[in-house]
């Protein structure tokens, strides 16, 4: 099971791309939030893109990660996007209401 590292955070054209780990739970949530917020404060970031390509499990702390970054970035007119979202993660988005604030750019089959 892979954990998230600082290499999983990249700035590409004023977007913060976060490649999420295989499991998003309370153990890694603090590190993800801390690193993301550091980029949001120090860099010229307009939008946040969460990459779920490796993610197979997400609990409520994952929802909190996304909601927290949404609150921070939306104050400045930014948006939050998700890519590589599989059916399980998409279901979590629908049940939690994240689908109303996060635009899913593509879907995994």
């Amino acid at each position: 099971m892979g954990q998230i590292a600082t290499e999983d955070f990249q700035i590409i054209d004023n977007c913060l791309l976060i490649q999420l780990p295989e499991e998003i739970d309370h153990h890694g949530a603090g590190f993800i939030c801390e690193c993301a917020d550091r980029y949001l404060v120090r860099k010229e970031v307009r939008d946040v893109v969460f990459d779920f390509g490796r993610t197979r499990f997400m609990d409520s702390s994952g929802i909190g990660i996304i909601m927290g970054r949404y609150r921070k970035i939306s104050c400045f007119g930014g948006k939050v996007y998700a890519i590589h979202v599989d059916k399980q993660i998409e279901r979590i988005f629908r049940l939690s209401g994240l689908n109303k604030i996060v635009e899913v750019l593509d879907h995994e089959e």
Side-chain angles (χ1 to χ4, degrees):
M1 161 176 42
Q3 293 299 316
I4 195 160
T6 53
E7 301 85 50
D8 295 319
F9 296 82
Q10 300 174 39
I11 303 287
I12 302 170
D13 295 333
N14 294 60
C15 289
L16 172 58
L17 173 64
I18 303 171
Q19 295 190 345
L20 295 168
E22 187 176 336
E23 293 188 7
I24 305 169
D25 57 22
H26 72 279
H27 294 294
F31 179 76
I32 295 169
C33 292
E34 184 181 310
C35 286
D37 290 350
R38 210 175 307 135
Y39 278 99
L40 295 179
V41 169
R42 293 186 189 161
K43 306 289 182 181
E44 296 281 328
V45 175
R46 184 182 60 240
D47 301 315
V48 178
V49 179
F50 289 97
D51 185 342
F52 286 89
R54 298 184 296 199
T55 306
R56 302 294 158 248
F57 172 82
M58 181 173 84
D59 68 9
S60 61
S61 59
I63 296 166
I65 291 168
I66 296 166
M67 290 291 295
R69 285 355 85 207
Y70 168 78
R71 276 190 230 109
K72 289 179 189 289
I73 204 78
S74 65
C75 292
F76 304 105
K79 294 188 177 186
V80 176
Y81 300 95
I83 58 175
H84 304 129
V85 174
D86 68 14
K87 290 184 188 299
Q88 182 179 352
I89 302 297
E90 185 176 24
R91 183 171 185 268
I92 293 168
F93 271 45
R94 275 196 324 274
L95 291 173
S96 66
L98 282 177
N99 61 325
K100 294 180 175 127
I101 61 168
V102 176
E103 184 177 343
V104 177
L105 298 178
D106 63 353
H107 299 268
E108 292 289 305
E109 292 302 320

